[in-house]
Amino acid sequence: MIKIAPSILAADFSKLAEEVKEVEAAGAALIHIDVMDGHFVPNITMGAIVVEALRPVTKLPLDVHLMIENPNLYIEQFAKAGADYITVHVEACPHLHGTLQLIKSHGVKSGVVLNPHTPIETILHVLDEIDLVLIMTINPGFGGQKFLHSVVPKVKQLADIIRERGLPIEIEIDGGINEETIIPCVEAGATILVAGSAIYNAPDRAEALRRIKAAGEG
Ligand code: DX5
Ligand code: ZN
């Protein structure tokens, strides 16, 4: 069983509530919210007020992907706004273990994100602190980029470690996911797949979501 997490980065921001309800009705499992600060990544998107506005709109878990520097300063805000998952980039967290504890102290599920070049070794000592690892298959900052196939072996490497250790950690993939690229990701062990443009830029979002999910489930 795989879960599809539509990224609202590719949605129409002038009618965000409807955009979220549409993918919920179509079978989305989580709503992926891309937070960018213009420093960690060269783009600015949305903050905790958007999470707060969407909280009453959907029953789905809100999966907040923080692409920001100094995430510790904002974790409480996002938790209070209604985030169910908060994921932070390893590359932005010099005190990663403490940051993960901070997320958990607010009763929110915690996750770490690895950029395409960042090795699994950087998170081996925090696996007991996390619910989720998000592996980027693009360089973060923008939707609509091409999937980086070179990252897939890293997904498999992590899946093997998680299995060997018997840990209840989910693997999420983000970037360039569509009906084709989802297949190697699921084969490698991913269970949550983010898709932005492949869903929201499709003429029929419900159909696109179902097709991507069906492709992943083989
Ligand atoms: C990029 C974001 C992704 C993005 C994915 O930095 O983290 O979640 O929205 O968009 P697609 O699916 O279009 O690659
Ligand atoms: Zn994302």
mmCIF file of all heavy atoms in Angstrom, residues 82-128:
data_model
loop_
_atom_site.group_PDB
_atom_site.id
_atom_site.type_symbol
_atom_site.label_atom_id
_atom_site.label_comp_id
_atom_site.label_asym_id
_atom_site.label_seq_id
_atom_site.Cartn_x
_atom_site.Cartn_y
_atom_site.Cartn_z
ATOM 1 N N GLY A 82 -1.068 23.366 13.007
ATOM 2 C CA GLY A 82 -1.752 22.119 12.676
ATOM 3 C C GLY A 82 -0.967 21.139 11.840
ATOM 4 O O GLY A 82 -1.551 20.203 11.271
ATOM 5 N N ALA A 83 0.348 21.300 11.771
ATOM 6 C CA ALA A 83 1.154 20.332 11.017
ATOM 7 C C ALA A 83 1.080 18.965 11.693
ATOM 8 O O ALA A 83 1.116 18.868 12.922
ATOM 9 C CB ALA A 83 2.611 20.789 10.973
ATOM 10 N N ASP A 84 0.947 17.906 10.892
ATOM 11 C CA ASP A 84 0.981 16.533 11.425
ATOM 12 C C ASP A 84 2.374 15.943 11.309
ATOM 13 O O ASP A 84 2.776 15.137 12.143
ATOM 14 C CB ASP A 84 -0.009 15.654 10.660
ATOM 15 C CG ASP A 84 -1.432 16.119 10.882
ATOM 16 O OD1 ASP A 84 -1.994 15.774 11.926
ATOM 17 O OD2 ASP A 84 -1.960 16.865 10.028
ATOM 18 N N TYR A 85 3.078 16.330 10.250
ATOM 19 C CA TYR A 85 4.473 15.940 10.053
ATOM 20 C C TYR A 85 5.269 17.221 9.830
ATOM 21 O O TYR A 85 4.817 18.102 9.088
ATOM 22 C CB TYR A 85 4.659 15.108 8.771
ATOM 23 C CG TYR A 85 4.093 13.718 8.809
ATOM 24 C CD1 TYR A 85 2.753 13.481 8.512
ATOM 25 C CD2 TYR A 85 4.907 12.621 9.095
ATOM 26 C CE1 TYR A 85 2.236 12.200 8.522
ATOM 27 C CE2 TYR A 85 4.397 11.340 9.098
ATOM 28 C CZ TYR A 85 3.064 11.133 8.816
ATOM 29 O OH TYR A 85 2.557 9.857 8.815
ATOM 30 N N ILE A 86 6.430 17.302 10.436
ATOM 31 C CA ILE A 86 7.368 18.382 10.089
ATOM 32 C C ILE A 86 8.677 17.712 9.702
ATOM 33 O O ILE A 86 9.240 16.921 10.474
ATOM 34 C CB ILE A 86 7.592 19.367 11.249
ATOM 35 C CG1 ILE A 86 6.282 20.124 11.571
ATOM 36 C CG2 ILE A 86 8.713 20.364 10.907
ATOM 37 C CD1 ILE A 86 6.379 21.098 12.739
ATOM 38 N N THR A 87 9.137 18.023 8.477
ATOM 39 C CA THR A 87 10.415 17.468 8.046
ATOM 40 C C THR A 87 11.416 18.610 7.858
ATOM 41 O O THR A 87 11.072 19.684 7.366
ATOM 42 C CB THR A 87 10.280 16.660 6.739
ATOM 43 O OG1 THR A 87 9.765 17.481 5.699
ATOM 44 C CG2 THR A 87 9.378 15.468 6.915
ATOM 45 N N VAL A 88 12.647 18.357 8.301
ATOM 46 C CA VAL A 88 13.709 19.367 8.216
ATOM 47 C C VAL A 88 14.879 18.811 7.408
ATOM 48 O O VAL A 88 15.154 17.605 7.443
ATOM 49 C CB VAL A 88 14.214 19.775 9.624
ATOM 50 C CG1 VAL A 88 13.146 20.555 10.375
ATOM 51 C CG2 VAL A 88 14.683 18.573 10.447
ATOM 52 N N HIS A 89 15.556 19.707 6.699
ATOM 53 C CA HIS A 89 16.706 19.286 5.903
ATOM 54 C C HIS A 89 17.933 19.080 6.798
ATOM 55 O O HIS A 89 18.286 19.957 7.585
ATOM 56 C CB HIS A 89 17.021 20.331 4.833
ATOM 57 C CG HIS A 89 16.265 20.096 3.569
ATOM 58 N ND1 HIS A 89 16.810 19.480 2.475
ATOM 59 C CD2 HIS A 89 14.978 20.364 3.252
ATOM 60 C CE1 HIS A 89 15.900 19.383 1.516
ATOM 61 N NE2 HIS A 89 14.773 19.926 1.962
ATOM 62 N N VAL A 90 18.567 17.932 6.621
ATOM 63 C CA VAL A 90 19.815 17.628 7.320
ATOM 64 C C VAL A 90 20.829 18.755 7.082
ATOM 65 O O VAL A 90 21.546 19.164 7.997
ATOM 66 C CB VAL A 90 20.389 16.299 6.779
ATOM 67 C CG1 VAL A 90 21.799 16.055 7.280
ATOM 68 C CG2 VAL A 90 19.481 15.149 7.134
ATOM 69 N N GLU A 91 20.838 19.276 5.851
ATOM 70 C CA GLU A 91 21.839 20.285 5.466
ATOM 71 C C GLU A 91 21.615 21.618 6.192
ATOM 72 O O GLU A 91 22.494 22.474 6.207
ATOM 73 C CB GLU A 91 21.788 20.513 3.939
ATOM 74 C CG GLU A 91 21.906 19.236 3.100
ATOM 75 C CD GLU A 91 20.565 18.511 2.899
ATOM 76 O OE1 GLU A 91 19.524 19.073 3.282
ATOM 77 O OE2 GLU A 91 20.577 17.383 2.370
ATOM 78 N N ALA A 92 20.422 21.801 6.777
ATOM 79 C CA ALA A 92 20.095 23.072 7.447
ATOM 80 C C ALA A 92 20.118 22.942 8.970
ATOM 81 O O ALA A 92 19.777 23.897 9.668
ATOM 82 C CB ALA A 92 18.708 23.547 6.994
ATOM 83 N N CYS A 93 20.518 21.749 9.465
ATOM 84 C CA CYS A 93 20.403 21.495 10.908
ATOM 85 C C CYS A 93 21.724 21.048 11.530
ATOM 86 O O CYS A 93 22.009 19.844 11.593
ATOM 87 C CB CYS A 93 19.353 20.410 11.153
ATOM 88 S SG CYS A 93 17.701 20.890 10.699
ATOM 89 N N PRO A 94 22.515 22.004 12.064
ATOM 90 C CA PRO A 94 23.768 21.610 12.728
ATOM 91 C C PRO A 94 23.519 20.819 14.011
ATOM 92 O O PRO A 94 24.389 20.060 14.448
ATOM 93 C CB PRO A 94 24.452 22.950 13.017
ATOM 94 C CG PRO A 94 23.376 23.976 12.948
ATOM 95 C CD PRO A 94 22.338 23.452 12.016
ATOM 96 N N HIS A 95 22.332 20.997 14.605
ATOM 97 C CA HIS A 95 21.986 20.273 15.833
ATOM 98 C C HIS A 95 20.751 19.413 15.551
ATOM 99 O O HIS A 95 19.700 19.560 16.191
ATOM 100 C CB HIS A 95 21.743 21.255 16.972
ATOM 101 C CG HIS A 95 22.881 22.191 17.167
ATOM 102 N ND1 HIS A 95 24.087 21.798 17.716
ATOM 103 C CD2 HIS A 95 23.038 23.490 16.823
ATOM 104 C CE1 HIS A 95 24.918 22.824 17.721
ATOM 105 N NE2 HIS A 95 24.309 23.857 17.184
ATOM 106 N N LEU A 96 20.910 18.534 14.578
ATOM 107 C CA LEU A 96 19.766 17.769 14.057
ATOM 108 C C LEU A 96 19.008 17.012 15.136
ATOM 109 O O LEU A 96 17.775 17.039 15.179
ATOM 110 C CB LEU A 96 20.274 16.805 12.972
ATOM 111 C CG LEU A 96 19.209 15.962 12.278
ATOM 112 C CD1 LEU A 96 18.201 16.834 11.541
ATOM 113 C CD2 LEU A 96 19.863 14.981 11.293
ATOM 114 N N HIS A 97 19.742 16.335 16.006
ATOM 115 C CA HIS A 97 19.079 15.537 17.039
ATOM 116 C C HIS A 97 18.166 16.419 17.896
ATOM 117 O O HIS A 97 17.007 16.075 18.168
ATOM 118 C CB HIS A 97 20.147 14.844 17.897
ATOM 119 C CG HIS A 97 19.593 13.839 18.839
ATOM 120 N ND1 HIS A 97 19.077 14.182 20.065
ATOM 121 C CD2 HIS A 97 19.463 12.499 18.734
ATOM 122 C CE1 HIS A 97 18.668 13.089 20.682
ATOM 123 N NE2 HIS A 97 18.891 12.051 19.894
ATOM 124 N N GLY A 98 18.662 17.572 18.293
ATOM 125 C CA GLY A 98 17.874 18.501 19.107
ATOM 126 C C GLY A 98 16.663 19.029 18.358
ATOM 127 O O GLY A 98 15.574 19.181 18.926
ATOM 128 N N THR A 99 16.844 19.296 17.083
ATOM 129 C CA THR A 99 15.726 19.797 16.272
ATOM 130 C C THR A 99 14.606 18.752 16.197
ATOM 131 O O THR A 99 13.423 19.079 16.319
ATOM 132 C CB THR A 99 16.230 20.152 14.850
ATOM 133 O OG1 THR A 99 17.230 21.157 14.977
ATOM 134 C CG2 THR A 99 15.102 20.654 13.965
ATOM 135 N N LEU A 100 15.013 17.492 16.041
ATOM 136 C CA LEU A 100 14.012 16.417 15.969
ATOM 137 C C LEU A 100 13.293 16.253 17.306
ATOM 138 O O LEU A 100 12.077 16.027 17.354
ATOM 139 C CB LEU A 100 14.682 15.105 15.536
ATOM 140 C CG LEU A 100 15.270 15.155 14.117
ATOM 141 C CD1 LEU A 100 16.160 13.951 13.855
ATOM 142 C CD2 LEU A 100 14.158 15.246 13.081
ATOM 143 N N GLN A 101 14.041 16.395 18.387
ATOM 144 C CA GLN A 101 13.400 16.329 19.704
ATOM 145 C C GLN A 101 12.413 17.481 19.895
ATOM 146 O O GLN A 101 11.345 17.309 20.466
ATOM 147 C CB GLN A 101 14.458 16.373 20.803
ATOM 148 C CG GLN A 101 15.213 15.059 20.922
ATOM 149 C CD GLN A 101 16.177 15.066 22.088
ATOM 150 O OE1 GLN A 101 16.860 16.067 22.333
ATOM 151 N NE2 GLN A 101 16.231 13.967 22.802
ATOM 152 N N LEU A 102 12.782 18.635 19.376
ATOM 153 C CA LEU A 102 11.894 19.799 19.462
ATOM 154 C C LEU A 102 10.581 19.532 18.711
ATOM 155 O O LEU A 102 9.489 19.820 19.214
ATOM 156 C CB LEU A 102 12.606 21.032 18.889
ATOM 157 C CG LEU A 102 11.846 22.358 18.921
ATOM 158 C CD1 LEU A 102 11.505 22.766 20.358
ATOM 159 C CD2 LEU A 102 12.674 23.452 18.237
ATOM 160 N N ILE A 103 10.687 18.966 17.530
ATOM 161 C CA ILE A 103 9.482 18.639 16.752
ATOM 162 C C ILE A 103 8.607 17.688 17.566
ATOM 163 O O ILE A 103 7.406 17.908 17.742
ATOM 164 C CB ILE A 103 9.848 18.004 15.389
ATOM 165 C CG1 ILE A 103 10.600 19.001 14.510
ATOM 166 C CG2 ILE A 103 8.588 17.503 14.676
ATOM 167 C CD1 ILE A 103 11.184 18.407 13.224
ATOM 168 N N LYS A 104 9.223 16.641 18.090
ATOM 169 C CA LYS A 104 8.459 15.637 18.841
ATOM 170 C C LYS A 104 7.856 16.210 20.115
ATOM 171 O O LYS A 104 6.785 15.778 20.553
ATOM 172 C CB LYS A 104 9.350 14.436 19.156
ATOM 173 C CG LYS A 104 9.507 13.569 17.903
ATOM 174 C CD LYS A 104 10.516 12.461 18.018
ATOM 175 C CE LYS A 104 10.324 11.568 19.191
ATOM 176 N NZ LYS A 104 11.133 10.337 19.071
ATOM 177 N N SER A 105 8.531 17.176 20.720
ATOM 178 C CA SER A 105 8.014 17.763 21.965
ATOM 179 C C SER A 105 6.683 18.475 21.739
ATOM 180 O O SER A 105 5.934 18.721 22.671
ATOM 181 C CB SER A 105 9.034 18.742 22.562
ATOM 182 O OG SER A 105 9.056 19.949 21.829
ATOM 183 N N HIS A 106 6.382 18.787 20.483
ATOM 184 C CA HIS A 106 5.102 19.421 20.165
ATOM 185 C C HIS A 106 4.060 18.389 19.708
ATOM 186 O O HIS A 106 2.997 18.771 19.206
ATOM 187 C CB HIS A 106 5.295 20.474 19.072
ATOM 188 C CG HIS A 106 6.067 21.666 19.552
ATOM 189 N ND1 HIS A 106 5.518 22.606 20.403
ATOM 190 C CD2 HIS A 106 7.341 22.045 19.343
ATOM 191 C CE1 HIS A 106 6.431 23.525 20.671
ATOM 192 N NE2 HIS A 106 7.551 23.211 20.053
ATOM 193 N N GLY A 107 4.394 17.115 19.850
ATOM 194 C CA GLY A 107 3.429 16.073 19.489
ATOM 195 C C GLY A 107 3.267 15.900 17.988
ATOM 196 O O GLY A 107 2.253 15.397 17.512
ATOM 197 N N VAL A 108 4.266 16.327 17.230
ATOM 198 C CA VAL A 108 4.206 16.250 15.767
ATOM 199 C C VAL A 108 5.156 15.144 15.302
ATOM 200 O O VAL A 108 6.211 14.933 15.908
ATOM 201 C CB VAL A 108 4.625 17.608 15.151
ATOM 202 C CG1 VAL A 108 4.673 17.540 13.632
ATOM 203 C CG2 VAL A 108 3.669 18.708 15.601
ATOM 204 N N LYS A 109 4.777 14.429 14.238
ATOM 205 C CA LYS A 109 5.678 13.414 13.693
ATOM 206 C C LYS A 109 6.867 14.094 13.031
ATOM 207 O O LYS A 109 6.711 15.116 12.357
ATOM 208 C CB LYS A 109 4.938 12.532 12.692
ATOM 209 C CG LYS A 109 3.942 11.626 13.384
ATOM 210 C CD LYS A 109 3.354 10.617 12.457
ATOM 211 C CE LYS A 109 2.470 9.680 13.252
ATOM 212 N NZ LYS A 109 1.527 8.963 12.408
ATOM 213 N N SER A 110 8.048 13.486 13.211
ATOM 214 C CA SER A 110 9.260 14.165 12.755
ATOM 215 C C SER A 110 9.903 13.423 11.597
ATOM 216 O O SER A 110 9.830 12.195 11.498
ATOM 217 C CB SER A 110 10.256 14.260 13.907
ATOM 218 O OG SER A 110 10.678 12.969 14.261
ATOM 219 N N GLY A 111 10.538 14.217 10.746
ATOM 220 C CA GLY A 111 11.238 13.605 9.626
ATOM 221 C C GLY A 111 12.452 14.405 9.214
ATOM 222 O O GLY A 111 12.564 15.594 9.507
ATOM 223 N N VAL A 112 13.380 13.711 8.556
ATOM 224 C CA VAL A 112 14.559 14.377 8.014
ATOM 225 C C VAL A 112 14.521 14.297 6.494
ATOM 226 O O VAL A 112 14.016 13.331 5.931
ATOM 227 C CB VAL A 112 15.876 13.747 8.521
ATOM 228 C CG1 VAL A 112 16.096 14.086 9.971
ATOM 229 C CG2 VAL A 112 15.891 12.254 8.313
ATOM 230 N N VAL A 113 15.068 15.330 5.856
ATOM 231 C CA VAL A 113 15.105 15.383 4.398
ATOM 232 C C VAL A 113 16.548 15.383 3.928
ATOM 233 O O VAL A 113 17.395 16.087 4.492
ATOM 234 C CB VAL A 113 14.424 16.667 3.858
ATOM 235 C CG1 VAL A 113 14.188 16.539 2.352
ATOM 236 C CG2 VAL A 113 13.128 16.971 4.585
ATOM 237 N N LEU A 114 16.811 14.586 2.903
ATOM 238 C CA LEU A 114 18.155 14.511 2.316
ATOM 239 C C LEU A 114 18.124 15.078 0.905
ATOM 240 O O LEU A 114 17.349 14.622 0.060
ATOM 241 C CB LEU A 114 18.617 13.051 2.236
ATOM 242 C CG LEU A 114 18.690 12.249 3.531
ATOM 243 C CD1 LEU A 114 19.091 10.813 3.215
ATOM 244 C CD2 LEU A 114 19.692 12.868 4.487
ATOM 245 N N ASN A 115 18.972 16.063 0.647
ATOM 246 C CA ASN A 115 19.160 16.538 -0.722
ATOM 247 C C ASN A 115 19.763 15.418 -1.566
ATOM 248 O O ASN A 115 20.317 14.450 -1.024
ATOM 249 C CB ASN A 115 20.086 17.761 -0.723
ATOM 250 C CG ASN A 115 19.318 19.059 -0.503
ATOM 251 O OD1 ASN A 115 18.113 19.129 -0.766
ATOM 252 N ND2 ASN A 115 20.015 20.070 -0.030
ATOM 253 N N PRO A 116 19.714 15.558 -2.898
ATOM 254 C CA PRO A 116 20.214 14.465 -3.745
ATOM 255 C C PRO A 116 21.650 14.025 -3.428
ATOM 256 O O PRO A 116 21.967 12.838 -3.533
ATOM 257 C CB PRO A 116 20.113 15.049 -5.159
ATOM 258 C CG PRO A 116 18.982 16.016 -5.074
ATOM 259 C CD PRO A 116 19.070 16.619 -3.696
ATOM 260 N N HIS A 117 22.493 14.960 -3.027
ATOM 261 C CA HIS A 117 23.903 14.600 -2.803
ATOM 262 C C HIS A 117 24.195 14.166 -1.368
ATOM 263 O O HIS A 117 25.324 13.762 -1.071
ATOM 264 C CB HIS A 117 24.810 15.800 -3.123
ATOM 265 C CG HIS A 117 24.792 16.830 -2.030
ATOM 266 N ND1 HIS A 117 23.754 17.715 -1.865
ATOM 267 C CD2 HIS A 117 25.651 17.075 -1.014
ATOM 268 C CE1 HIS A 117 23.994 18.483 -0.815
ATOM 269 N NE2 HIS A 117 25.129 18.104 -0.278
ATOM 270 N N THR A 118 23.223 14.263 -0.482
ATOM 271 C CA THR A 118 23.508 14.027 0.937
ATOM 272 C C THR A 118 23.408 12.540 1.262
ATOM 273 O O THR A 118 22.377 11.916 1.014
ATOM 274 C CB THR A 118 22.530 14.825 1.823
ATOM 275 O OG1 THR A 118 22.599 16.191 1.441
ATOM 276 C CG2 THR A 118 22.863 14.687 3.298
ATOM 277 N N PRO A 119 24.478 11.957 1.806
ATOM 278 C CA PRO A 119 24.467 10.507 2.039
ATOM 279 C C PRO A 119 23.624 10.077 3.238
ATOM 280 O O PRO A 119 23.404 10.853 4.175
ATOM 281 C CB PRO A 119 25.950 10.181 2.268
ATOM 282 C CG PRO A 119 26.601 11.455 2.639
ATOM 283 C CD PRO A 119 25.776 12.578 2.104
ATOM 284 N N ILE A 120 23.196 8.830 3.206
ATOM 285 C CA ILE A 120 22.413 8.202 4.282
ATOM 286 C C ILE A 120 23.157 8.274 5.624
ATOM 287 O O ILE A 120 22.537 8.375 6.685
ATOM 288 C CB ILE A 120 22.171 6.710 3.941
ATOM 289 C CG1 ILE A 120 21.345 6.558 2.660
ATOM 290 C CG2 ILE A 120 21.537 5.957 5.093
ATOM 291 C CD1 ILE A 120 19.941 7.053 2.753
ATOM 292 N N GLU A 121 24.481 8.219 5.545
ATOM 293 C CA GLU A 121 25.292 8.197 6.781
ATOM 294 C C GLU A 121 24.970 9.384 7.698
ATOM 295 O O GLU A 121 25.122 9.297 8.908
ATOM 296 C CB GLU A 121 26.789 8.210 6.438
ATOM 297 C CG GLU A 121 27.335 6.863 5.953
ATOM 298 C CD GLU A 121 26.829 6.446 4.575
ATOM 299 O OE1 GLU A 121 26.389 7.326 3.794
ATOM 300 O OE2 GLU A 121 26.864 5.240 4.269
ATOM 301 N N THR A 122 24.514 10.495 7.133
ATOM 302 C CA THR A 122 24.250 11.699 7.934
ATOM 303 C C THR A 122 23.075 11.515 8.894
ATOM 304 O O THR A 122 22.882 12.333 9.792
ATOM 305 C CB THR A 122 23.936 12.908 7.020
ATOM 306 O OG1 THR A 122 22.842 12.543 6.154
ATOM 307 C CG2 THR A 122 25.134 13.293 6.185
ATOM 308 N N ILE A 123 22.261 10.471 8.667
ATOM 309 C CA ILE A 123 21.081 10.310 9.540
ATOM 310 C C ILE A 123 21.090 9.002 10.333
ATOM 311 O O ILE A 123 20.159 8.724 11.077
ATOM 312 C CB ILE A 123 19.759 10.420 8.735
ATOM 313 C CG1 ILE A 123 19.686 9.354 7.637
ATOM 314 C CG2 ILE A 123 19.624 11.823 8.148
ATOM 315 C CD1 ILE A 123 18.295 9.211 7.033
ATOM 316 N N LEU A 124 22.166 8.223 10.191
ATOM 317 C CA LEU A 124 22.183 6.911 10.858
ATOM 318 C C LEU A 124 22.017 7.015 12.371
ATOM 319 O O LEU A 124 21.465 6.123 13.002
ATOM 320 C CB LEU A 124 23.483 6.164 10.536
ATOM 321 C CG LEU A 124 23.589 5.636 9.107
ATOM 322 C CD1 LEU A 124 24.880 4.852 8.937
ATOM 323 C CD2 LEU A 124 22.377 4.790 8.733
ATOM 324 N N HIS A 125 22.482 8.112 12.955
ATOM 325 C CA HIS A 125 22.420 8.234 14.413
ATOM 326 C C HIS A 125 21.174 8.937 14.924
ATOM 327 O O HIS A 125 21.062 9.199 16.117
ATOM 328 C CB HIS A 125 23.696 8.912 14.925
ATOM 329 C CG HIS A 125 24.922 8.129 14.580
ATOM 330 N ND1 HIS A 125 25.247 6.942 15.210
ATOM 331 C CD2 HIS A 125 25.860 8.313 13.621
ATOM 332 C CE1 HIS A 125 26.352 6.445 14.668
ATOM 333 N NE2 HIS A 125 26.734 7.255 13.705
ATOM 334 N N VAL A 126 20.238 9.239 14.029
ATOM 335 C CA VAL A 126 18.967 9.830 14.497
ATOM 336 C C VAL A 126 17.770 8.968 14.105
ATOM 337 O O VAL A 126 16.628 9.377 14.285
ATOM 338 C CB VAL A 126 18.757 11.278 13.981
ATOM 339 C CG1 VAL A 126 19.806 12.219 14.549
ATOM 340 C CG2 VAL A 126 18.720 11.341 12.460
ATOM 341 N N LEU A 127 18.038 7.768 13.605
ATOM 342 C CA LEU A 127 16.917 6.947 13.125
ATOM 343 C C LEU A 127 15.903 6.629 14.229
ATOM 344 O O LEU A 127 14.721 6.440 13.954
ATOM 345 C CB LEU A 127 17.432 5.653 12.470
ATOM 346 C CG LEU A 127 18.184 5.830 11.139
ATOM 347 C CD1 LEU A 127 18.659 4.483 10.603
ATOM 348 C CD2 LEU A 127 17.328 6.541 10.091
ATOM 349 N N ASP A 128 16.362 6.601 15.476
ATOM 350 C CA ASP A 128 15.425 6.324 16.570
ATOM 351 C C ASP A 128 14.525 7.523 16.887
ATOM 352 O O ASP A 128 13.575 7.407 17.652
ATOM 353 C CB ASP A 128 16.189 5.924 17.841
ATOM 354 C CG ASP A 128 16.829 4.554 17.683
ATOM 355 O OD1 ASP A 128 16.273 3.732 16.925
ATOM 356 O OD2 ASP A 128 17.885 4.316 18.293
#
